[in-house]
Amino acid sequence: MKSTLVNNPVSERAEWFDNLIATLRTHELALETNTASPELVSFYKNLMGNNIDELLKTNKAITQQHFVSKIIVEFLNCLEGILPNKLAFDFNDSEVLVWAEIEDNNVQQENLLSRAESKINAQFHGYGFDMETMIVERGDNLPVPNHYKILKS
């Protein structure tokens, strides 16, 4: 006989609330004993001070960090270990920028990069993030732009 607790939304909700309250109590203790991280102190200061702008700014930074990391990992997975000669990344508010240098006329690598970009855009556009890939050939003899972080050179 199947347990009524499995996939029970009421039980899941109750467990979620219990965990939330436990986390809040842990944070309260850390704040009271001055053992909280500066980030946690700042978060609660903004929350209790109703400083919505700062809360949203922090949320934006955390959201961006989360999605940019996921996008880069997923992009690398899409490349199936077949990396271009040079590969570098940058990002802005809503895009992950890719600089990829491939061998001259390497249509297979170019197609792989394009498919990876398409998959990323299909997967993450709904979250407000896209990818733009700049593909150059070795013969173009172009340097990686200074603001990009080089993964492979």
Side-chain angles (χ1 to χ4, degrees), residues 25-139:
R25 290 294 177 207
T26 302
H27 289 176
E28 180 183 31
L29 180 62
L31 291 166
E32 288 176 356
T33 59
N34 294 319
T35 58
S37 69
E39 295 84 8
L40 193 63
V41 171
S42 177
F43 172 76
Y44 279 102
K45 180 180 176 185
N46 289 326
L47 186 62
M48 291 185 294
N50 202 27
N51 191 345
I52 303 302
D53 290 345
E54 281 301 314
L55 286 169
L56 292 175
K57 179 181 169 187
T58 300
N59 184 55
K60 179 182 175 184
I62 292 168
T63 300
Q64 187 176 46
Q65 184 179 27
H66 169 80
F67 281 109
V68 167
S69 297
K70 283 188 76 160
I71 287 169
I72 291 173
V73 168
E74 184 61 30
F75 180 75
L76 292 172
N77 286 336
C78 290
L79 296 182
E80 302 169 353
I82 305 169
L83 298 181
N85 298 338
K86 293 182 181 177
L87 185 60
F89 297 94
D90 191 22
F91 65 92
N92 58 37
D93 282 343
S94 61
E95 291 179 313
V96 172
L97 307 171
V98 179
W99 177 273
E101 180 188 277
I102 62 174
E103 291 296 330
D104 294 346
N105 303 312
N106 187 339
V107 176
Q108 181 183 7
Q109 181 77 66
E110 189 171 349
N111 289 340
L112 183 62
L113 289 163
S114 295
R115 278 194 308 273
E117 177 186 313
S118 296
K119 182 177 179 181
I120 294 302
N121 288 337
Q123 187 174 349
F124 292 97
H125 179 76
Y127 298 105
F129 290 90
D130 293 298
M131 175 173 274
E132 185 175 326
T133 305
M134 176 61 65
I135 302 171
V136 299
E137 293 182 335
R138 182 184 294 247

